[in-house]
């Protein structure tokens, strides 16, 4: 009955397939649309602004790195050239006139106290002369032996100097002060027998690398060692940065400058640039942490996100208020439609506006009144005519005349009903029959069957006459098993004269029938006729002599043998049939632990006496 009401209601809203349960309310749609527009537009602006700001900041940082490298490179190269020139002049004067070596050296050390040693060495680092800054040695407690030891360990390092190259490396690990050691040939010839070596304090270079801000600069030797760094401890330790990506890039580069974004071993990204010097294979590197570069960009992005959240919150409030004024009457209509779907047709619904929704509300109230009247009529009519048949007839889908169909036909009968009814008053007979029929009809409806008619205490039902599920035989047998289970519950507490125990017999046959409206011009009913129906009735009657409660024909058995446990009752001669018919007793569902294992257990369960002691009706 509810399906009829639902279909009528759905016809009113012009959509038979849609449920009254709204999956996308108007409030949700409005909030979703406004949120999407705001989110898309504002987030797009945030993304574009952040993107271009980030790109601009990156370009500025790279330009700044290049400028710093250029300036520092000029400063470092100038200082190194000055050191070379001062050492070359001093050494040349001493070599020409060794007698004035002390005077020349003193002038150099007084003019530039950063010089610690100036010496000339022949092949195999054989000293030709060595002059020391005595004041430095005395002030900082250094011995000449320490410097001699250093000179003895650098033979391999200065080989390039004998070939005409300038060699620069960090000598700080051998001392307590940052020191730079330079070795270069006395003459400009490619191969020379005399090289000049000097030890210079790194004070003048270190001061140039003491940069402020986010940029970090340092000087790298050709072997990757740190020659100058803002942190003097790194210089004193003789650290090497050969594994730093920017250093590797500089070594492999065929040009004297470049830029590179890289990640260090700690997973931190840097923007770096390098500049190679034209002396000693050294280079200046400047780098800055990417997070520091884009710190302000990220801060702006965060502030914009907060602004977006605030905008969305305000939009939610405004849209919600507007959507509520629009959706409240619609939700009232939805609630009313649910009541109608549940069978409540009396509505306390009042129109609150004069717009389209108000007109719809008034129409809805009128429709509910019409449905209420129609439902009262159908409720009364449905007690005499099958509901599904009435529904098909109302829709014009029930054809006049008969049509051939394959269906399962069911008959049931109460055992010893005559003797039971003789002991009861007519009113009591009707009462217990109504109770019994209600239980049995429920089983038919639950399995998709149609009650064709009641014949006294007998029930005739069909599966597949109106519509087929494809498992008509299975549904019919399932209904009969459920009847057995319901009857066992129904019989609990019964056993007196006023409440006798009820036992039934069920028969099922499957085959072709003629289904249609049969009767006279004054009265017609929808039923099925044919040999299949007759055999189903005969099979039901065989329960008496077989001592069973559910018997099925061979046709039905072939459809359900994989789903139910059965016992063959052999071939039995049936009235109206020339050939004996194979029938099967249904024990229960396969896999059901409560299913009787044999006929004896079945008879004990349902209270059927054995055929020998059984009394006929």
């Amino acid at each position: 009955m509810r399906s009829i009401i639902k279909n009528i209601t759905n016809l009113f809203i012009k959509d038979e397939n849609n449920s009254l349960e709204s999956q996308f309310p108007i409030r949700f749609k409005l909030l979703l649309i406004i949120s999407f527009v705001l989110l898309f537009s504002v987030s797009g602006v945030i993304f574009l602004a952040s993107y271009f700001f980030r790109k601009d900041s990156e370009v500025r940082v790279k330009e700044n790195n290049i400028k710093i490298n250029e300036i520092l490179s000029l400063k470092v190269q100038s200082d190194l050239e000055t050191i070379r020139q001062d050492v070359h002049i001093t050494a040349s004067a001493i070599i020409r006139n060794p007698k004035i070596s002390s005077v020349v050296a003193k002038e150099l050390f007084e003019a530039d106290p950063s010089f610690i040693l100036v010496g000339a060495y022949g092949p195999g680092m054989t000293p030709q002369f060595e002059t020391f800054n005595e004041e430095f040695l005395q002030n900082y407690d250094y011995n000449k032996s320490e410097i001699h030891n250093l000179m003895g360990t650098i033979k391999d390092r200065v080989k390039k100097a004998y070939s005409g190259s300038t060699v620069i490396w960090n000598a700080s690990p051998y001392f307590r002060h940052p020191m730079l050691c330079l070795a270069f040939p006395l003459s400009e010839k490619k191969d020379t027998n005399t090289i000049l070596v000097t030890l210079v304090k790194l004070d003048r270079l270190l001061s140039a690398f003491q940069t402020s801000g986010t940029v970090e600069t340092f000087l790298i030797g050709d072997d990757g060692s740190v020659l100058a760094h803002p942190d003097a401890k790194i210089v004193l330790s003789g650290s090497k940065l050969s594994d730093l990506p920017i250093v590797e890039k500089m070594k492999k580069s065929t040009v004297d400058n470049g830029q590179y974004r890289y990640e260090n071993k700690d997973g931190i990204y840097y923007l770096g640039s390098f500049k190679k010097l034209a002396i000693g294979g050294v280079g200046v590197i400047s780098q800055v942490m990417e997070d520091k570069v884009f710190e302000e960009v990220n801060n702006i992005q965060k502030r914009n996100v907060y602004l977006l959240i605030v905008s969305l919150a305000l939009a939610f409030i405004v849209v919600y208020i507007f959507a509520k004024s629009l959706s409240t009457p619609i939700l009232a209509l939805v609630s009313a439609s649910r009541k109608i779907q549940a069978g409540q047709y009396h509505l306390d619904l009042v129109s609150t506006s004069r717009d389209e929704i108000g007109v719809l509300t008034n129409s809805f109230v009128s429709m509910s009144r019409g449905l209420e009247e129609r439902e009262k009529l159908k409720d009364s009519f449905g007690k005499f005519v099958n509901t599904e048949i009435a529904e098909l007839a109302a829709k014009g889908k029930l054809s006049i005349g008969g049509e051939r169909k394959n269906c399962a036909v069911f008959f049931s009968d109460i055992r010893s009903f005559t003797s039971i009814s003789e002991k009861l008053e007519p009113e009591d007979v009707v009462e217990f029959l109504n109770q019994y029929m209600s239980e049995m009809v429920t089983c038919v409806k639950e399995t998709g069957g149609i009650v064709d008619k009641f014949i006294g205490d007998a029930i005739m039902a069909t599966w597949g006459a109106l519509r087929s599920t494809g498992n008509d035989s299975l549904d019919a047998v399932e209904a009969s098993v459920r009847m057995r289970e319901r009857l066992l519950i129904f019989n609990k507490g019964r056993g007196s004269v006023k409440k006798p125990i009820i036992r039934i017999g069920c028969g099922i046959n499957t085959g072709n029938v003629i289904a249609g409206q049969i009767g006279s011009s004054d009265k017609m009913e929808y039923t099925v006729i044919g040999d299949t129906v007759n055999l189903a009735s005969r099979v039901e009657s065989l329960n008496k002599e077989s001592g069973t409660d559910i018997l099925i024909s061979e046709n039905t058995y072939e459809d359900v043998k994989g789903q139910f446990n059965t016992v063959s009752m052999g071939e039995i001669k049936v009235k109206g049939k020339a050939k004996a018919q194979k029938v099967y007793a249904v024990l229960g569902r396969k896999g059901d632990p409560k299913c009787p294992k044999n006929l004896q257990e079945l008879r004990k369960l349902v209270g059927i006496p054995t055929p020998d002691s059984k009394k006929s009706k």
Side-chain angles (χ1 to χ4, degrees), residues 484 506-508 538-554 557 565-574 580-587 597-600 602-603 608-612 614:
R484 175 194 290 165
C506 303
I508 302 170
R538 299 287 186 266
V539 169
E540 184 277 320
S541 64
L542 293 176
N543 282 291
K544 299 176 183 179
E545 58 188 73
S546 300
T548 57
D549 65 337
I550 303 173
L551 287 177
I552 60 176
S553 68
E554 186 174 8
Y557 168 76
N565 294 321
T566 59
V567 175
S568 175
M569 305 301 294
E571 294 184 351
I572 302 177
K573 185 67 177 176
V574 176
Q581 301 293 314
K582 288 184 179 180
V583 293
Y584 299 83
V586 178
L587 298 178
K597 296 181 175 59
N598 48 49
L599 285 176
Q600 287 74 21
L602 173 64
R603 290 164 181 160
I608 298 176
T610 58
D612 293 336
K614 180 175 170 296

Side-chain angles (χ1 to χ4, degrees), residues 420-476:
I420 291 174
S421 60
E422 288 176 351
K423 299 175 184 179
L424 298 175
E425 295 296 329
E427 294 83 0
D428 295 332
V429 174
V430 173
E431 182 182 359
F432 108 78
L433 267 181
N434 287 339
Q435 293 173 351
Y436 160 76
M437 294 292 189
S438 296
E439 295 291 334
M440 300 301 102
V441 169
T442 299
C443 297
V444 174
K445 289 184 176 180
E446 286 176 349
T447 55
I450 299 294
V451 175
D452 187 284
K453 60 176 65 70
F454 299 112
I455 310 169
D457 62 313
I459 300 173
M460 175 183 173
T462 61
W463 283 259
L466 280 177
R467 59 177 65 89
S468 175
T469 62
N471 299 302
D472 300 322
S473 298
L474 185 66
D475 293 336

Side-chain angles (χ1 to χ4, degrees), residues 5 84 145 149 163 191 214-215 235 243 263 376 480:
I5 307 306
R84 275 187 33 157
S145 59
N149 291 336
S163 301
D191 295 318
T214 59
V215 180
V235 179
D243 58 343
E263 180 184 12
K376 289 178 181 178
S480 64

Side-chain angles (χ1 to χ4, degrees), residues 278-333:
I279 179 173
V282 299
V284 176
I285 291 177
S286 61
Q287 65 178 14
V288 59
M289 289 177 60
E290 196 172 63
D291 289 344
K292 291 185 177 179
V293 173
F294 300 132
E295 184 176 5
E296 189 57 31
V297 177
N298 295 332
N299 290 335
I300 293 175
Q301 200 168 25
K302 287 180 183 178
R303 289 193 290 268
N304 288 337
V305 171
Y306 296 150
L307 178 62
L308 173 61
I309 294 172
V310 172
S311 300
L312 283 175
L314 292 175
F316 269 34
I317 295 172
V318 174
V319 173
Y320 179 80
I321 294 173
F322 171 73
K324 186 176 181 181
S325 66
L326 182 64
S327 62
T328 298
I330 297 177
L331 290 176
L333 288 173

